[in-house]
């Protein structure tokens, strides 16, 4: 059964149509990737699914709920989380406080504290720097924090927008490892990436987005083998 | 001794400004708007104290009624006037706030007339220690303000709602991604700011019993100045800016040659500080997000 079903989604910025009616789905337990060049509409797709920007047409069904017009904070309470493009951690708060914010939708205070300890176990660097102001972390640490923060709400579906952006090759591999871990622990993942090679390698399925339209879809392996994808996104 | 008295006077004026400035700075930080009607909420609070005093005669009850009424008023202003403009140009919001300011002043004038009312909150007398004479109202103002500022600082730092306020002020989108209802946080911010305005009205009436529909105008502008001096959007900044303005005001008033220019001197402080630190004393220079 599809956990997320996007049907004919249309988004405009003023008069410019950024998404020209895209449809795709993410099934429970999958890693699904949207690949595409700059300006293809990847971030727009992510932000409109979670209700940060308004849609003009089409529908988004999540876990049986029509969330097309639902405000972002309610969608988060339904079990969706997003690591936004550029991470957008709270620079002025400490690592610990950032994680607390991630658990905002959770009622049980002591469970939130336990979850934070689990995040520290998973990302020891965050544990070492728990009282450090988040704005002073390195890019890689900020990415770990953004991912840990998103996991604090126990999402059924995690949206990751360009998680490897601006990271060293070593850290990029680490990030993709973590994404696989999340999936293996039962979180469904929708991933947006420019690093098509690495993301297709871990994806169950993928879609190619070009100028606001889906032009290609298939399993990660199929797309990685497709001439069209190779030429446009894999440098070959 | 005279210097200590002046200093205490400055602290009491300044803490009143600080309490008002907190309203400006919190609303600015969270809703990214300048609520120029904030000063007039002080005035409405003043009239609520006046009405309660005239009816029941209990100043504490007067303060309670004023706080409640102002909280409801602040929430209503936000819902009716500002919420529909969310996402509109900042100029549209600014001119609306100025409109709300005049609306409150004119409504008060229609209801209560333009002649000032006398509101004797309480005849408290002075505290005398040796040659030091301090009016009790100053100490009450100072004491209440310290409690208010401490409570607010602890609230923002240690409660879930308080931290949500910091999150919203830093990044509205990311805050929503945490499941924070930004509209609810804005409502709470207006409620707190307006409640504090009622306290400021109480402090001002203790100091000087004359109440008119422009009671909040000048203190509103000075507190706004204080918020900018301290760094608009910063809660400790509003406190520092307010106290600084109060002390400058009190000192300037004791020097006969410059006393008539006190207001001008206070605004001069603003200009000088902004020349040296454009973002205010504790204001942060925010990096633009890429």
């Amino acid at each position: 059964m599809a956990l997320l079903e996007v049907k004919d989604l249309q988004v405009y910025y003023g008069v410019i149509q950024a998404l020209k009616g895209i449809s795709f789905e993410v099934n429970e337990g999958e890693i699904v990737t949207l690949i595409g060049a700059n300006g293809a509409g990847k971030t727009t797709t992510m932000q409109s699914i979670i209700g940060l920007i308004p849609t003009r047409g089409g529908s988004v069904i999540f876990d049986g709920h029509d969330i097309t017009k639902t405000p972002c904070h309610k969608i988060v309470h339904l079990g969706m989380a997003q690591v936004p493009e550029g991470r957008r951690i709270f620079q002025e708060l400490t690592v610990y406080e950032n994680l607390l914010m991630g658990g905002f939708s959770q009622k049980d205070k002591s469970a939130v504290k336990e979850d934070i300890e689990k995040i520290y176990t998973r990302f020891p660097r965050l544990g070492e720097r728990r009282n450090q102001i988040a704005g002073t972390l390195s890019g890689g640490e900020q990415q770990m924090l953004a991912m840990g923060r998103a996991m604090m709400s126990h999402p059924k579906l995690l949206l990751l927008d360009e998680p490897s952006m601006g990271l060293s090759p070593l850290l990029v591999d680490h990030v993709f490892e973590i994404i696989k871990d999340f999936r293996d622990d039962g979180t469904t993942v929708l991933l947006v990436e420019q690093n098509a090679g690495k993301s297709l390698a871990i994806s169950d399925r993928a879609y190619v987005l070009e100028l606001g339209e889906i032009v290609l879809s298939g399993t990660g392996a199929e797309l990685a083998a497709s001439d069209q994808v190779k030429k446009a996104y894999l440098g070959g | 001794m005279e210097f200590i008295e002046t200093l205490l006077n400055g602290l009491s004026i300044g803490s009143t400004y600080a309490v008002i400035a907190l309203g400006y700075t919190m609303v600015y930080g969270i809703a990214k708007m300048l609520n120029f009607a904030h000063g007039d909420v002080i005035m409405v609070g003043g009239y609520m104290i006046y009405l309660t005093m005239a009816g029941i005669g209990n100043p504490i009850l007067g303060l309670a009624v004023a706080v409640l009424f102002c909280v409801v008023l602040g929430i209503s202003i936000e819902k009716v006037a500002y919420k529909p403009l969310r996402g509109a140009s900042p100029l549209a919001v600014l001119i609306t706030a100025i409109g709300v300011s005049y609306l409150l002043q004119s409504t008060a004038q229609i209801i209560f007339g333009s002649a000032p009312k006398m509101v004797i909150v309480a005849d408290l007398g002075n505290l005398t220690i040796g040659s030091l004479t301090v009016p009790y109202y100053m100490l009450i103002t100072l004491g209440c303000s310290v409690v208010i500022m401490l409570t607010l600082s602890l609230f923002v730092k240690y409660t879930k709602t308080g931290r949500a306020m910091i999150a919203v002020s830093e990044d509205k989108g990311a805050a929503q991604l945490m499941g924070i209802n930004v509209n609810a946080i804005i409502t709470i911010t207006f409620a707190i700011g307006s409640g504090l305005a009622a306290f400021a009205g109480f402090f001002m009436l203790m100091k000087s019993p004359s109440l008119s529909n422009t009671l909040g105008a000048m203190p509103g502008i000075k507190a706004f100045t204080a918020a900018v001096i301290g760094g608009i959007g910063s809660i400790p900044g509003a406190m520092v800016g307010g106290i600084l303005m109060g002390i400058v005001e009190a000192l300037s008033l004791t020097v006969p040659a410059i006393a008539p220019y006190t207001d001008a001197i206070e605004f001069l402080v603003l200009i000088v500080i902004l020349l040296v630190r454009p973002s205010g004393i504790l204001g942060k220079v925010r990096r633009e997000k890429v």
Side-chain angles (χ1 to χ4, degrees), chain A residues 50-52 72-73 76-77 81-82 84 88-93 97-98 100-107 135 149, chain B residues 157 160-161 163-164 166-182 185 284 286-287 289-290:
Chain A
I50 205 160
L52 273 181
C72 177
H73 69 272
V76 172
H77 284 262
Q82 179 167 165
R88 290 168 73 170
I89 56 161
F90 299 110
Q91 307 264 337
E92 291 163 34
L93 299 181
E97 289 167 332
N98 265 278
L100 270 185
M101 294 316 306
F104 189 84
S105 57
Q106 306 297 303
K107 291 271 172 293
R149 185 181 69 172
Chain B
K157 181 87 182 153
K160 206 171 164 178
T161 309
R163 275 192 299 264
I166 302 183
V168 172
S169 79
E170 206 188 311
D171 186 336
K172 236 185 244 186
Q176 289 177 69
L177 289 177
M178 303 299 108
I180 295 167
N181 181 346
V182 170
I185 294 297
K284 272 162 290 247
R286 293 248 171 118
R287 275 182 304 158
K289 276 184 210 70
V290 203

Side-chain angles (χ1 to χ4, degrees), chain A residues 73, chain B residues 23 26-33 35 38 67-84 86 152 155 161 164-165 168-169 172 180-196:
Chain A
H73 69 272
Chain B
M26 287 171 71
V27 164
Y28 179 82
I30 283 159
K32 297 286 176 281
M33 67 161 291
N35 177 20
H38 185 58
V67 169
L68 271 180
F69 192 87
C70 287
V71 165
V72 174
L73 178 70
I75 293 173
S76 314
I77 291 172
E78 198 277 319
K79 285 268 176 298
V80 174
Y82 303 148
K83 197 176 173 193
R86 202 119 336 125
L152 196 65
F155 171 78
T161 309
M165 293 170 92
V168 172
S169 79
K172 236 185 244 186
I180 295 167
N181 181 346
V182 170
N183 281 329
I185 294 297
I186 291 176
T187 302
I188 292 169
T189 307
F190 270 86
I192 293 175
S194 306
L196 293 184

Side-chain angles (χ1 to χ4, degrees), chain B:
Chain B
M1 280 309 134
E2 201 185 319
F3 181 73
I4 294 177
E5 285 168 22
T6 304
L7 209 60
L8 279 170
N9 185 30
L11 284 173
S12 117
I13 299 172
S15 53
T16 306
Y17 289 154
V19 166
I20 307 168
L22 283 171
Y24 277 110
T25 220
M26 287 171 71
V27 164
Y28 179 82
I30 283 159
K32 297 286 176 281
M33 67 161 291
L34 297 172
N35 177 20
F36 275 119
H38 185 58
D40 302 293
V41 177
I42 304 171
M43 173 271 297
V44 174
Y47 278 106
M48 287 303 125
I49 294 168
Y50 162 72
L51 287 178
T52 320
M53 291 294 292
I56 306 165
N58 182 332
I60 304 298
L61 202 65
L63 175 61
V65 170
V67 169
L68 271 180
F69 192 87
C70 287
V71 165
V72 174
L73 178 70
I75 293 173
S76 314
I77 291 172
E78 198 277 319
K79 285 268 176 298
V80 174
Y82 303 148
K83 197 176 173 193
L85 292 173
R86 202 119 336 125
S89 95
L91 271 181
V93 184
L94 187 69
I95 203 72
T96 304
I98 293 172
V100 172
S101 164
Y102 282 117
L103 178 73
L104 292 177
Q105 286 186 21
S106 307
T107 310
Q109 192 173 21
I110 291 167
I111 297 174
F112 298 101
S114 43
K117 309 277 184 207
M118 291 297 281
V119 190
I120 311 290
V121 175
D123 195 2
L124 294 162
N126 298 321
L127 172 73
T128 311
I129 306 169
S131 60
L132 183 73
T133 307
V134 187
Y136 272 112
Y137 82 81
M138 278 187 195
L139 299 174
I140 295 174
T141 299
L142 209 52
C144 288
S145 303
V146 168
V147 171
I148 286 172
M149 290 187 239
L150 270 178
T151 311
L152 196 65
S153 305
L154 294 174
F155 171 78
V156 167
K157 181 87 182 153
Y158 293 109
T159 67
K160 206 171 164 178
T161 309
R163 275 192 299 264
M165 293 170 92
I166 302 183
V168 172
S169 79
E170 206 188 311
D171 186 336
K172 236 185 244 186
Q176 289 177 69
L177 289 177
M178 303 299 108
I180 295 167
N181 181 346
V182 170
N183 281 329
I185 294 297
I186 291 176
T187 302
I188 292 169
T189 307
F190 270 86
I192 293 175
S194 306
L196 293 184
F199 271 94
F202 185 80
F203 299 156
M204 286 164 62
L205 288 177
M206 278 200 298
K207 182 170 188 249
S208 150
S210 167
L211 167 64
S212 76
N213 67 331
T214 54
L215 177 80
M218 197 50 158
I221 291 194
K222 284 193 186 165
F224 172 62
T225 306
V228 175
I229 285 177
I232 188 104
S234 156
I235 288 178
M239 300 176 186
V240 169
I243 300 290
L244 180 68
M245 284 284 276
I247 288 177
V248 168
E249 181 169 326
L251 286 176
S252 163
L253 284 172
T254 56
V255 183
I258 59 168
Y261 308 105
T262 298
D263 289 349
I265 290 168
E266 289 177 78
F267 294 118
L268 195 67
V269 171
L270 170 75
I271 294 170
V272 171
I273 288 184
L274 289 190
L275 281 174
V276 183
R277 270 191 73 91
S279 54
I281 298 172
L282 297 178
K284 272 162 290 247
V285 187
R286 293 248 171 118
R287 275 182 304 158
E288 287 297 317
K289 276 184 210 70
V290 203

